């Protein structure tokens, strides 16, 4: 008989009391502790939405749409996972109910269940289990975060599926971690454990007994809540971690390690335990909490300024570049739409040491972004353009040098001078899901260009998510506009990178380099930008 393949160990992370308590960061942190012990770790988010993916979700509500190298449009937690595990995940790391249901129904249509009554249990729950198991295959550990709060109607099939996995695989191979919230009552000066107790009861009522409990709170609770939590939730004291708000999210792996969670998890799952190497985390936390001598001010010209989660990866990439350059960064959110008309806001741009125009869709705020790029060109203020930020930069350069009507198809569909237009294969796809140019694409950087200097190499690969491109008919005009296409697709057809020819740092990419930046390894475009900003400040 052939020897059976290695048994993956599964860690399921659920949440109770309320959403938004940091399940994603907890799941990612546990992953990083196991990876630091030399184990191979995969991680996956299960979201109970009927969407197929995050591509069509409203970023103002759900935060950034993160893109994996293989072109999946995912929940922003996948971005945390990549940064915490320092790895490149795949489309399989983001699983939404919509996909599960559509695959089950597709299976029904193609005869997979001939003669059977297709039901949530067992067909949907089995399909979830197969998908989770396949994603974990060949890894030592697979971590699965279930989105939402336990007890929500929508996530019941995921909860049932992981309960069954727990029964099938047994306690040696599965571990359930529940993340709960402990409110603090200022009036009586107490931490209340009752919501956490109820949340565990809810989980038990669905057949899952948690092995570990992470108790989130805003303030630091006294150790005396531990025996109480343990007594009334039935979770052993050694497997409970108190997790008050951290100064930086990058502290969480260290806090969980200090609470003993890394060892408890490894021991219970029988994982080979090696002393974890957390040196790089310690360095990140040190950088993140250092108060440097000087501070730079960078403006992000944004459309969604009420929910900064919308620009999560950009924010993280900027911060890590600033740490690497030993400066504090003051990120100023500039409302792109207000910038279109508000004279005071326009003159307030002079307070900025650098300008970043991130990605975006639709017409709203575009004129403000173009204005910011024009301003940066004229005043030689460092500029970093990401995707839409490149498109607006090209329009700005054209307008600054006389082509007043320069526009993009998103701004004016019938505009005569559409220097930015739909890519040939994208014309009829606007507003349809999963149809953009997505994921990794290569580019070649021109010798002697700023782009090439910043990357230090000729061939690069970056992740994409867009429908429009630089219209090739206008490329011969770039020199006159004071810019050049310093990065092209290998066949030369698509402009991937532009830069201003007479400017200290005006660099923009059609891609999203922010997705590849890491807390301890900032992306070169961000680091180059921050260095230019420092020089300008
Ligand atoms: N809306 C632009 C396009 O589709 C830019 C997209 C983006 O910034 N991700 O090309």
């Amino acid at each position: 008989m052939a020897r059976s393949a290695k048994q993956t160990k599964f860690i399921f992370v659920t949440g109770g009391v309320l959403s938004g308590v940091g399940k994603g960061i907890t799941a990612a942190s546990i992953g990083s502790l196991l990876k630091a012990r030399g184990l191979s770790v995969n991680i996956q988010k299960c979201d109970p939405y009927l969407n197929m993916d995050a591509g069509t979700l409203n970023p103002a509500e759900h935060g950034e749409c993160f893109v994996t190298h293989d072109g999946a449009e995912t929940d922003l937690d996948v971005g945390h996972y990549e940064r915490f595990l320092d790895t490149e995940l795949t489309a399989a790391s983001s699983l939404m109910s919509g996909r599960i249901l559509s695959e089950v129904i597709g299976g029904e249509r193609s005869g997979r269940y001939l003669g059977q009554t297709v039901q949530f249990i067992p067909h949907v729950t089995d399909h979830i289990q197969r998908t989770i198991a396949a994603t974990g295959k060949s890894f030592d550990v697979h971590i699965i975060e279930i989105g939402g709060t336990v007890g929500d109607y929508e996530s019941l099939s995921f909860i049932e599926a992981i309960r069954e996995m727990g029964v099938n695989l047994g306690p040696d191979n599965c571990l359930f971690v529940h993340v709960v919230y402990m409110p603090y009552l200022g009036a009586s000066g107490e931490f209340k454990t009752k919501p956490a107790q109820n949340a565990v009861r809810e989980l038990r009522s669905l057949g899952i007994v948690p092995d570990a409990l992470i108790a989130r709170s805003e303030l630091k609770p006294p150790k005396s809540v531990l025996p109480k939590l343990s007594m009334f939730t039935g979770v052993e004291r050694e497997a409970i971690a108190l997790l008050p708000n951290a100064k930086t999210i990058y502290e969480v792996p260290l806090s969980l390690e200090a609470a003993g969670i890394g060892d408890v998890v490894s021991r219970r799952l029988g994982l080979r335990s090696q002393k974890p190497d957390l040196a790089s985390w310690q360095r990140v936390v040190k950088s993140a909490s250092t108060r440097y001598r000087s501070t730079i001010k960078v403006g992000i010209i944004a459309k969604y300024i009420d929910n900064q989660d919308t620009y999560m990866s950009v924010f993280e990439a900027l911060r890590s570049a600033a740490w690497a350059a030993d400066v504090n960064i003051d990120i100023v959110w500039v409302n792109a739409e207000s910038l279109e008309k508000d004279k005071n806001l326009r003159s307030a741009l002079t307070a900025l040491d650098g300008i970043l125009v991130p990605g975006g869709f639709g017409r709203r705020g575009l004129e403000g972004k173009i204005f910011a790029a024009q301003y940066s060109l004229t005043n030689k203020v460092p500029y970093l353009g990401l995707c839409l930020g490149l498109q607006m930069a090209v329009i700005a350069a054209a307008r600054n040098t006389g082509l007043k009507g320069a526009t993009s198809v998103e701004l004016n569909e019938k505009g005569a001078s559409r220097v930015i237009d739909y890519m040939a294969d994208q014309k009829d796809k606007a507003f349809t899901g999963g149809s953009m140019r997505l994921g990794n694409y290569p580019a070649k950087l021109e010798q002697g260009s700023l782009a090439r200097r910043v990357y230090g190499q000729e061939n690069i690969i970056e992740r994409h998510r867009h429908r429009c491109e630089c219209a090739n008919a206008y490329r011969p005009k770039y020199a006159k506009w004071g810019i050049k296409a310093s990065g092209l697709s290998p066949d030369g057809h698509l402009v991937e990178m532009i830069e201003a020819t007479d400017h200290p740092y005006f660099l923009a990419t059609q891609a999203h380099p922010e997705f590849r930046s890491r807390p301890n390894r900032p992306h070169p475009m961000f680091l180059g930008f921050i260095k230019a900003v420092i020089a300008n400040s």
Side-chain angles (χ1 to χ4, degrees), residues 358-362 386-388 391 410 436 465-469 510 512:
F361 293 85
L386 308 172
C387 202
L388 182 71
Q391 301 173 357
E410 281 185 297
M436 275 182 260
R465 180 176 186 243
H466 62 118
R467 259 184 238 292
C468 308
E469 62 164 329
Q510 190 55 78
H512 288 280

